[in-house]
Amino acid sequence: MLVFIYLSLTIFYLIMQALILAGGKGTRLRPLTVYTPKPIVPICNRPFLLYQIDTLRRAGIKDITLSLSYQPHKIEQQLGDGSDYGVHLKYTVETQPMGTAGAYKYAEDLIREPTVVFNGDILTDLDLKTVIREHTTRKATATIVLTPVENPTAYGLVETKVDGHVARFLEKPKPEEITCNTINAGTYILEPKVLDFIPAGENHSFEYGLFPNLLMRGEKFFAHISKRTYWIDIGTPTRYLQAHLDLLANRVGRIHIKERRGDFEAATIAEIDELSIVGDECTIKPGAQVINSVLGAGCYIEEKARIENSVIWAHTRVGAGAQVSSAIVGRGCHIGRSASVGAGAVLGDKTSLTDYSQTGGVSV
Ligand code: GDD
Ligand code: MG
């Protein structure tokens, strides 16, 4: 019992900080990220970073620095000092992106303790406390979380040794270079001493720079392989939509949607299935169908429109008889009557489609 209390105290004494890398431009998520930076794109109508803040708070970490570069004011305006979410948020803003490790170095003045670093685009139900415990008991200089994926080419492949040490990094490997299925899951625990290995004032990367350097120096660098954990990088439209479908279907172990229905108006003969999320102040007219989808606040769905497996941001109007299927529609759009928005379509904010338009994977 005493040992347990000692260990818990040690863990929370040692690990009290987090840094979220949230400065990327979100290029692959365009046009959604033209007006909304990736860290706060809505996921089931909540700014994405709130899911990461929840994960940190569950592990007892409240001192969180957001490392920003692209559209920082929008993020600060949305999240403020964190008090609404039970944490203390601080911000660092790079005048130009410094790279992942460069961003961590740039925040050096705020870093005093071992720090949990998150890539700011990972949705996961990781048990962070266990990772922290492993890092502490192994007295590691760095710990990296790995996750298995079918195709590592879009990620950083990480080879490990049987004793859990990291053996090699290969960022964005070519198909013929793939040697294993474990990739960098974008979650690290770093001792402050690694700051000394990152050059100041220049662009530097964890993946190409610091991590291979730690291996070369023979530092204690361990991997935590989380096999049964939900993990997705929301940074492409396909994965952004997939994250929604997984949350709607309750496939994300520790993350449950609390409220699927806002305060909205729906005709009695409209169909809204149990899985769908409907935001506040939406209007759903007679004969409309909302199936396995998310509607942001203030959407207006006209008669006999059908929305299926899709995400629609706030204040969008879908005209009578229009069909939206497996698509993402930005904020303040207008989809004309009988228009068809098909699989894979991604419409930026304020898009206006004239009546009978056809877009996305429409079959003739
Ligand atoms: N502050 C700051 N400054 N943040 C940055 C910068 C920068 O210069 N560059 C990138 N970021 C942030 C992004 O906002 C994102 O949250 C995170 O760092 C990772 O950048 P991505 O551009 O999304 O990288 P990736 O997805 O191609 O690859 C990374 O993530 C994979 C897991 O999804 C790598 O870490 C891979 O090794 C990893 O497998
Ligand atoms: Mg990413």
Side-chain angles (χ1 to χ4, degrees):
M1 184 64 182
L2 276 176
V3 173
F4 174 76
I5 292 171
Y6 170 73
L7 262 180
S8 311
L9 286 176
T10 316
I11 288 161
F12 292 114
Y13 175 69
L14 287 175
I15 309 272
M16 290 194 289
Q17 285 193 264
L19 178 86
I20 303 182
L21 296 169
K25 286 199 173 131
T27 324
R28 285 161 290 180
L29 211 46
R30 282 182 190 151
L32 300 171
T33 45
V34 172
Y35 299 108
T36 309
K38 180 166 70 167
I40 52 168
V41 292
I43 296 277
C44 294
N45 291 346
R46 291 179 83 209
F48 173 69
L49 278 183
L50 291 186
Y51 294 88
Q52 296 203 321
I53 289 172
D54 287 347
T55 303
L56 291 167
R57 206 191 36 234
R58 273 200 300 271
I61 298 169
K62 293 186 174 173
D63 177 356
I64 303 170
T65 300
L66 301 186
S67 165
L68 311 181
S69 176
Y70 178 67
Q71 299 189 352
H73 303 302
K74 289 191 182 162
I75 300 176
E76 283 200 55
Q77 206 177 14
Q78 177 98 63
L79 302 177
D81 65 1
S83 50
D84 287 354
Y85 316 107
V87 294
H88 311 292
L89 292 180
K90 292 179 203 132
Y91 297 89
T92 58
V93 180
E94 301 144 45
T95 43
Q96 57 187 41
M98 300 293 287
T100 45
Y104 169 64
K105 180 77 177 176
Y106 191 76
E108 183 164 22
D109 289 347
L110 299 175
I111 292 171
R112 299 169 309 279
E113 299 139 3
T115 301
V116 174
V117 178
F118 279 165
N119 280 358
D121 58 357
I122 305 300
L123 179 70
T124 179
D125 64 344
L126 177 73
D127 176 4
L128 188 58
K129 273 189 186 169
T130 301
V131 185
I132 293 171
R133 196 177 313 124
E134 280 178 17
H135 175 85
T136 312
T137 49
R138 285 162 154 172
K139 296 193 167 54
T141 301
T143 297
I144 180 169
V145 177
L146 308 185
T147 192
V149 293
E150 262 173 41
N151 178 7
T153 53
Y155 305 103
L157 179 143
V158 184
E159 291 175 7
T160 52
K161 297 181 187 165
V162 275
D163 62 1
H165 276 93
V166 173
R168 187 166 83 111
F169 278 92
L170 197 52
E171 188 64 19
K172 314 279 154 62
K174 298 194 183 85
E176 64 274 18
E177 292 175 320
I178 294 169
T179 50
C180 59
N181 70 347
T182 42
I183 59 131
N184 167 10
T187 297
Y188 325 115
I189 301 175
L190 304 175
E191 294 295 311
K193 78 174 204 183
V194 305
L195 284 163
D196 297 340
F197 309 146
I198 304 173
E202 51 185 87
N203 194 294
H204 201 72
S205 144
F206 281 133
E207 298 82 350
Y208 295 98
L210 178 75
F211 293 161
N213 186 3
L214 290 179
L215 293 179
M216 237 169 47
R217 288 170 180 269
E219 290 290 342
K220 281 183 155 193
F221 195 175
F222 282 98
H224 170 96
I225 305 181
S226 57
K227 285 204 177 113
R228 277 177 297 276
T229 301
Y230 179 87
W231 184 91
I232 199 165
D233 173 333
I234 60 140
T236 67
T238 309
R239 291 192 240 118
Y240 173 76
L241 182 57
Q242 188 61 48
H244 281 85
L245 301 181
D246 291 338
L247 282 164
L248 291 181
N250 272 327
R251 283 194 286 266
V252 187
R254 289 185 194 87
I255 307 177
H256 301 287
I257 299 164
K258 288 191 193 97
E259 190 55 77
R260 292 187 190 233
R261 298 289 192 263
D263 188 5
F264 66 99
E265 261 179 58
T268 43
I269 44 169
E271 181 189 343
I272 304 168
D273 77 341
E274 279 185 4
L275 298 178
S276 292
I277 295 178
V278 180
D280 287 336
E281 288 164 36
C282 285
T283 304
I284 321 257
K285 301 300 270 184
Q289 292 175 298
V290 180
I291 312 293
N292 198 30
S293 294
V294 178
L295 302 185
C299 286
Y300 196 98
I301 313 299
E302 295 192 33
E303 284 82 359
K304 295 195 178 157
R306 179 178 167 87
I307 292 155
E308 188 180 18
N309 304 328
S310 295
V311 176
I312 300 195
W313 288 11
H315 303 291
T316 279
R317 175 181 281 256
V318 180
Q323 307 253 354
V324 180
S325 179
S326 302
I328 307 167
V329 180
R331 191 183 164 90
C333 294
H334 181 258
I335 310 295
R337 63 182 296 130
S338 299
S340 170
V341 181
V346 186
L347 306 185
D349 293 0
K350 301 181 196 154
T351 298
S352 180
L353 288 186
T354 48
D355 297 350
Y356 306 104
S357 296
Q358 301 197 13
T359 176
V362 180
S363 51
V364 215

